[in-house]
Amino acid sequence: MFRSLVAAAASAFGAPAMAGAQGLRAPLIDMSGVWSELQPPAQQPAVPLGNGEAPALQFMPYPEGTGALMEKLVSQHGAKAFTRATFPVEKWNGAVPTDPEALAFLPAHRISALIKARRITSRQITDIYLERLKRLNPQLNCVVTLMETSARAEADAMDAELKAGKDRGPLHGVPYGIKDLFATKGVPTSWGSPDFKDQVFDYDAEIVTRLRNGGAVLLAKLSTGLYAQNDWWYGGRTNNPWNLNIGASGSSAGPGSATAAGCVAFAIGTETQGSIVSPSIRNGISALRPTYGRVSRHGGMVLSWSQDRVGPMCRTAEDCAMVFNVLHGVDPKDSSTVTTPFNFDRNIKLASLRIGVDAAAPKELVDQLKALGMAPREISARPTVGGMQGGGLNVEYAAAFDFFVQRKAKEFGLDLNKLPERTGNAPFGNTPPARPAGIAADATNPMAGADWNPRFVGGRVTPGWEFVQNQRRRLLLVQAWGNFMKDLDGFIAAPQADVAPNAQTGHPCAVLPYKFDVPTFGGGGPGGAANATTPAPTYKAQPICAVITGNLYNDDIILSVAHQFQKATDFHSRRPTIG
């Protein structure tokens, strides 16, 4: 019966050759003339693909779809929904710090105020940061490329413009650093890999362009873990400035370390699944992992078209809002992007918000917010969907780095058509293919055998139907979270409790320090906490961070809540002693 059905289907769609090849009965109807007309043109050579070309399928985090979101925004706000809000910088009052270190650790919005008031110049603060980057980098290992000459030229240009009456906005003259997986014209972009350490693009990533147009001064390309994983890159491990005996976490290791060390006014990181949140927590800084689709990824290294996000890593929530106000919005070069309202409120009324609180939420943060007016709502466990496998993400990894795997396979003499099959039902995210013979392996050095990355290989043998089924279940998860969040503006849970599901659903979160204490980060060796052979180091006290998760596109609300907490506390203003 099965063969009959297949034969009938083959006949209906004009595929007698396929039927014969499968040992099935050929169709009785003579369709040779039709078949000849339906023959596709001669196959052309496959168009070569690099890392960046996006697939036709596009992830949409809004449960009802992007079209429904746009209609909702227009009905609520009209055309103003797509107009970027202004971000006024509050004026500087009082004396200006004379100590370079005190200036270096000022929040970015205060540096902006000083520059606008002509109390300091962009060149002065740029020189302070360049000196710190050069002096402290031997201990931090956070700099890949120091852009000293161009930074001073940009700073001088911003000072000249301001003197001539041209003000580009809140970031005018403010120095920053960027994760070394974004294209910067004429400057190497290494992706943390020895294979790409000399890679140079002839264009700038979209966020580099937006920040330059906004007047920000680029100081350095900051380290990313190898291909955006952990805090190890070809130059070694990037370190936490509070506790140099442990890594900065990753993969936005350099942005986290440099910001915490007062080496930049702010930095730009990226996240696929934890790479903004984790290093921000590890280094005790404030950050925003935005709602998926709010910031262009154009010109950035791709791991996952459906999960990659770009966000600011700063000293305060207000800094994050100031930077994000410049970054967000539609970019035709990144079809995932949307423009939705962003209105940071320095005086938001916490009593007016619907903030959920999980039983595992940090008590100190919750108590302080309650004292400031928050009326918490008790929440239960977040929704899950059975059958979600890591194979979906691994397939995107494999597709994004196919060009590299193909190249390496030729170098190693590997036949990619003979990869080992999976055992059982485990996705390759849990059971990667064995390391091929001849490729170095060293459990004590994460960079050993860096040429062979299981994340880029395992997804090659994931069945297509399995990938599609995973995405169908992912939509069910998105819808379940939409229902869970429908009566919430945001919620507070354990610091990293929801990083993985939110990577799938696209929800935003804000990271903020909520106390000062000795951290419990686990092991400090190359394998981190998972390396049972490495004893946990002894730590010094540092800022301990919490996470506020927002409803979709509530990036402004969660930053405004974090700002209320920071106005009443000083954990975000503590400085590490380095050396």
Side-chain angles (χ1 to χ4, degrees):
M1 182 175 180
F2 174 73
R3 291 191 175 192
S4 299
L5 288 171
V6 175
S11 173
F13 290 99
M18 180 187 74
Q22 299 298 321
L24 304 177
R25 183 185 299 273
L28 298 176
I29 301 174
D30 181 5
M31 296 187 64
S32 57
V34 176
W35 177 247
S36 63
E37 292 180 8
L38 293 179
Q39 285 284 0
Q43 179 124 12
Q44 297 178 342
V47 174
L49 297 172
N51 175 255
E53 299 88 347
L57 301 177
Q58 180 61 60
F59 172 66
M60 297 182 292
Y62 195 70
E64 290 81 30
T66 303
L69 172 65
M70 295 299 105
E71 285 194 357
K72 176 183 176 182
L73 292 176
V74 170
S75 67
Q76 291 178 340
H77 307 281
K80 290 182 179 179
F82 311 112
T83 302
R84 190 182 309 276
T86 58
F87 192 97
V89 175
E90 294 184 326
K91 293 183 178 180
W92 179 274
N93 292 313
V96 178
T98 56
D99 176 22
E101 180 170 301
L103 284 169
F105 276 99
L106 283 176
H109 68 279
R110 295 295 79 207
I111 291 172
S112 174
L114 284 172
I115 292 173
K116 290 183 182 305
R118 314 284 184 87
R119 308 294 295 276
I120 63 169
T121 64
S122 176
R123 176 60 182 268
Q124 286 175 317
I125 191 65
T126 293
D127 283 341
I128 288 172
Y129 282 133
L130 288 172
E131 186 277 331
R132 290 182 67 81
L133 284 165
K134 288 188 289 186
R135 175 165 51 87
L136 298 178
N137 191 58
Q139 293 154 288
L140 299 175
N141 198 26
C142 63
V143 178
V144 181
T145 303
L146 190 67
M147 300 170 66
E148 192 169 1
T149 301
S150 61
R152 288 196 171 103
E154 288 181 12
D156 289 342
M158 290 303 99
D159 288 334
E161 285 189 4
L162 207 57
K163 188 175 181 180
K166 180 178 180 180
D167 186 345
R168 293 177 180 245
L171 297 185
H172 191 114
V174 179
Y176 78 102
I178 194 167
K179 189 175 181 178
D180 191 34
L181 52 65
F182 285 104
T184 44
K185 186 175 181 178
V187 178
T189 302
S190 77
W191 300 350
S193 165
D195 276 280
F196 293 97
K197 65 184 179 65
D198 299 318
Q199 172 178 244
V200 177
F201 295 99
D202 63 356
Y203 63 91
D204 287 317
E206 174 65 17
I207 60 164
V208 173
T209 299
R210 291 193 183 196
L211 288 167
R212 181 186 297 115
N213 291 343
V217 174
L218 180 55
L219 299 174
K221 305 291 287 292
L222 301 173
S223 60
T224 174
L226 174 69
Y227 303 123
Q229 63 179 341
N230 64 52
D231 45 27
W232 284 82
W233 56 293
Y234 70 85
R237 188 186 73 182
T238 297
N239 295 319
N240 172 3
W242 293 94
N243 287 283
L244 293 168
N245 55 350
I246 193 170
S249 187
S251 63
S252 302
S257 177
T259 301
C263 291
V264 291
F266 69 91
I268 301 297
T270 67
E271 173 161 338
T272 303
Q273 189 162 286
S275 288
I276 289 175
V277 173
S278 184
S280 298
I281 290 174
R282 175 68 62 86
N283 296 284
I285 62 173
S286 303
L288 173 67
R289 187 213 30 213
T291 301
Y292 174 88
R294 295 203 71 172
V295 180
S296 173
R297 290 93 48 94
H298 172 262
M301 188 201 85
V302 175
L303 275 180
S304 166
W305 292 277
S306 74
Q307 291 189 195
D308 289 350
R309 289 184 250 181
V310 181
M313 299 172 68
C314 307
R315 275 186 277 283
T316 71
E318 183 167 356
D319 290 351
C320 292
M322 181 174 73
V323 176
F324 185 74
N325 198 63
V326 171
L327 293 182
H328 83 95
V330 165
D331 172 19
K333 299 182 293 300
D334 181 348
S335 61
S336 75
T337 52
V338 297
T339 299
T340 61
F342 179 79
N343 297 287
F344 177 70
D345 186 352
R346 292 184 177 91
N347 300 302
I348 198 167
K349 303 299 181 185
L350 296 183
S352 68
L353 301 176
R354 305 166 301 170
I355 304 296
V357 173
D358 183 84
K363 185 177 185 301
E364 297 91 337
L365 173 63
V366 173
D367 287 349
Q368 180 64 67
L369 290 175
K370 286 167 65 176
L372 294 170
M374 181 184 76
R377 301 183 178 199
E378 184 178 334
I379 59 170
S380 57
R382 270 63 73 204
T384 59
V385 171
M388 294 285 289
Q389 293 186 2
L393 191 56
N394 288 332
V395 169
E396 293 197 61
Y397 292 159
F401 274 85
D402 174 64
F403 76 103
F404 178 61
V405 171
Q406 294 276 5
R407 190 179 91 196
K408 283 298 177 184
K410 291 179 181 178
E411 290 181 19
F412 297 140
L414 298 176
D415 185 350
L416 292 173
N417 294 314
K418 296 181 179 179
L419 290 174
E421 296 183 0
R422 293 185 299 180
T423 56
N425 295 319
F428 264 121
N430 298 326
T431 56
R435 186 181 296 272
I439 300 178
D442 181 352
T444 65
N445 181 5
M447 290 300 297
D451 292 331
W452 179 258
N453 193 316
R455 298 197 304 170
F456 301 155
V457 181
R460 299 181 71 89
V461 295
T462 299
W465 64 266
E466 182 177 296
F467 176 77
V468 172
Q469 298 297 69
N470 189 70
Q471 300 312 307
R472 295 173 70 191
R473 292 187 178 96
R474 184 176 177 185
L475 179 57
L476 295 177
L477 183 69
V478 166
Q479 292 168 342
W481 269 77
N483 185 61
F484 175 81
M485 297 289 289
K486 69 179 187 301
D487 295 320
L488 294 173
D489 296 305
F491 69 84
I492 306 168
Q496 300 206 47
D498 300 284
V499 170
N502 287 166
Q504 297 277 334
T505 62
H507 286 77
C509 65
V511 180
L512 72 160
Y514 72 93
K515 68 177 180 179
F516 194 81
D517 205 345
V518 176
T520 55
F521 290 139
N531 188 350
T533 64
T534 305
T538 300
Y539 298 124
K540 297 181 291 186
Q542 70 166 70
I544 308 299
C545 290
V547 172
I548 304 174
T549 301
N551 207 337
L552 293 172
Y553 311 102
N554 276 5
D555 308 67
D556 46 7
I557 291 179
I558 57 176
L559 286 177
S560 299
V561 172
H563 178 64
Q564 295 309 303
F565 180 86
Q566 291 183 335
K567 285 199 300 184
T569 60
D570 69 349
F571 304 115
H572 58 280
S573 65
R574 308 289 180 93
R575 306 179 200 170
T577 300
I578 306 171

